[in-house]
Amino acid sequence: MLSVSVLLFLCAATGVSSFSVTTSNGNVRVKEGEGVDLTCSYSADFGTTPRLEWKFRDLKGSQTYVVYHGEPTQSYASRVTLYGGSNLRFSKVTRIDNGVYDCEVSNSNSQFGEVSVKLTVLVPPSVPVCRIPQSVTTGTTALLSCYDNDGSPPPTYKWYKNGVLMPADPSKIAAFKNATYKLNTDNGNLEFPSVSKMDDAQYYCEAVNDAGPPKRCEAVKMEVRDLNTGGIVAGVLVVLLLVALLVFALWYANKKGYLPKKSESKQKPNVVYKPPSSHGGGHDDEEDGEFKQKSSFVV
């Protein structure tokens, strides 16, 4: 009884819970296509029939069940089995299995414990996709990119200029001390904030991880050209000449009367001409005739 009390006191003093869940290997690495075991063990105080679950968190943070209530879920049943009560065995892994696996153990008294196992599926890099501009202008920004979507673990990237490895920090290498580029070895971007003639060279990128040999893309020559001021001046002169020709053409057409002229005054209203009556008298005669007739009537 005394020894149990001492043990409980030591557990409380060290912050160690008697309900423990452990693994023999928390960082497992395996080649794609091979089988692998993820181990999980728990202390006896969880009882003889604890609840066991395995959960998977992928590299993007999404979580799914691998084992639920002690049984593999439908999506894993064809290639996952439990052995030894709580250990997880994959018959074959693929790159989509990269991530973290959580083994969770609990009992009816709400005691709970868990342990995490990181699984890295090893996939050699493929030939990276490189985007290298073939022509840039001095003083402008140039971005060279390199990316491999297959390698696992995610590869790092190296850039070569005329076959010579470019250091991540050019200031530390004498041959590159005057260079002003920025190299990100994690995402593969090589940026020149302000391109100069010394950046005119042949470039290629290499994807590297520890799962297999590195792979490189084809080399591409990036030509750096000076700003064509002569061409700009010539273009401006051509535009000015075209404008002058247009103005002259409008003036000449107006002079020859080819363009419609604006009326200087308002047009007078149309006057309808009525010919005189065939009886020899107009309206006035009719009125006179009518007056005369009336006059003769009075007499």
Side-chain angles (χ1 to χ4, degrees):
M1 184 69 180
L2 180 62
S3 60
V4 174
S5 301
V6 172
L7 180 60
L8 292 175
F9 172 78
L10 291 175
C11 290
T14 57
V16 177
S17 172
S18 56
F19 294 91
S20 62
V21 180
T22 59
T23 181
S24 61
N25 187 1
N27 190 3
V28 178
R29 296 164 62 88
V30 61
K31 292 182 179 180
E32 186 175 35
E34 295 183 355
V36 68
D37 292 343
L38 308 183
T39 61
C40 175
S41 59
Y42 52 90
S43 57
D45 33 17
F46 278 102
T48 57
T49 57
R51 175 173 174 170
L52 173 73
E53 293 176 348
W54 277 93
K55 295 179 181 178
F56 168 59
R57 288 179 285 129
D58 63 19
L59 300 178
K60 296 181 180 180
S62 299
Q63 189 176 67
T64 57
Y65 278 101
V66 181
V67 173
Y68 185 73
H69 277 294
E71 296 292 335
T73 58
Q74 183 177 0
S75 58
Y76 285 92
S78 62
R79 59 194 186 96
V80 167
T81 56
L82 282 174
Y83 74 96
S86 56
N87 300 308
L88 195 64
R89 173 170 291 167
F90 283 85
S91 60
K92 181 186 292 185
V93 295
T94 67
R95 63 195 68 187
I96 65 173
D97 296 319
N98 267 311
V100 177
Y101 293 79
D102 298 319
C103 176
E104 299 179 355
V105 182
S106 60
N107 61 17
S108 57
N109 296 324
S110 299
Q111 278 82 16
F112 175 84
E114 67 176 337
V115 68
S116 296
V117 180
K118 181 181 179 181
L119 175 62
T120 302
V121 180
L122 302 176
V123 181
S126 59
V127 175
V129 177
C130 298
R131 292 182 173 86
I132 304 170
Q134 296 183 356
S135 179
V136 293
T137 305
T138 54
T140 61
T141 299
L143 178 63
L144 286 66
S145 63
C146 177
Y147 183 71
D148 166 47
N149 197 35
D150 294 325
S152 175
T156 56
Y157 300 94
K158 298 178 180 180
W159 277 96
Y160 292 81
K161 176 182 179 182
N162 290 333
V164 179
L165 178 64
M166 302 176 68
D169 186 356
S171 63
K172 296 181 179 180
I173 306 298
F176 290 88
K177 64 180 181 179
N178 294 324
T180 58
Y181 63 80
K182 298 177 181 179
L183 174 57
N184 189 322
T185 58
D186 292 327
N187 64 19
N189 287 343
L190 173 61
E191 182 181 359
F192 296 89
S194 181
V195 178
S196 65
K197 277 291 188 179
M198 66 177 295
D199 300 320
D200 188 300
Q202 198 172 53
Y203 295 89
Y204 67 83
C205 170
E206 194 174 67
V208 182
N209 70 7
D210 58 358
K215 295 292 180 66
R216 64 178 59 176
C217 62
E218 292 186 3
V220 175
K221 174 67 181 296
M222 186 177 76
E223 183 179 359
V224 180
R225 299 179 179 179
D226 290 326
L227 187 64
N228 189 2
T229 54
I232 295 175
V233 172
V236 172
L237 292 177
V238 169
V239 172
L240 293 176
L241 179 60
L242 291 175
V243 173
L245 288 174
L246 178 61
V247 172
F248 174 77
L250 292 174
W251 172 82
Y252 184 80
N254 184 62
K255 182 178 180 181
K256 293 296 183 179
Y258 298 145
L259 299 178
K261 295 183 179 180
K262 295 181 180 180
S263 177
E264 295 180 358
S265 60
K266 295 182 179 180
Q267 295 181 352
K268 296 181 179 181
N270 293 333
V271 178
V272 179
Y273 174 74
K274 294 183 179 181
S277 174
S278 60
H279 299 287
H283 183 70
D284 293 339
D285 293 339
E286 292 177 1
E287 289 182 359
D288 292 341
E290 184 181 358
F291 175 75
K292 290 177 181 178
Q293 187 177 14
K294 288 181 181 179
S295 300
S296 60
F297 176 77
V298 175
V299 175

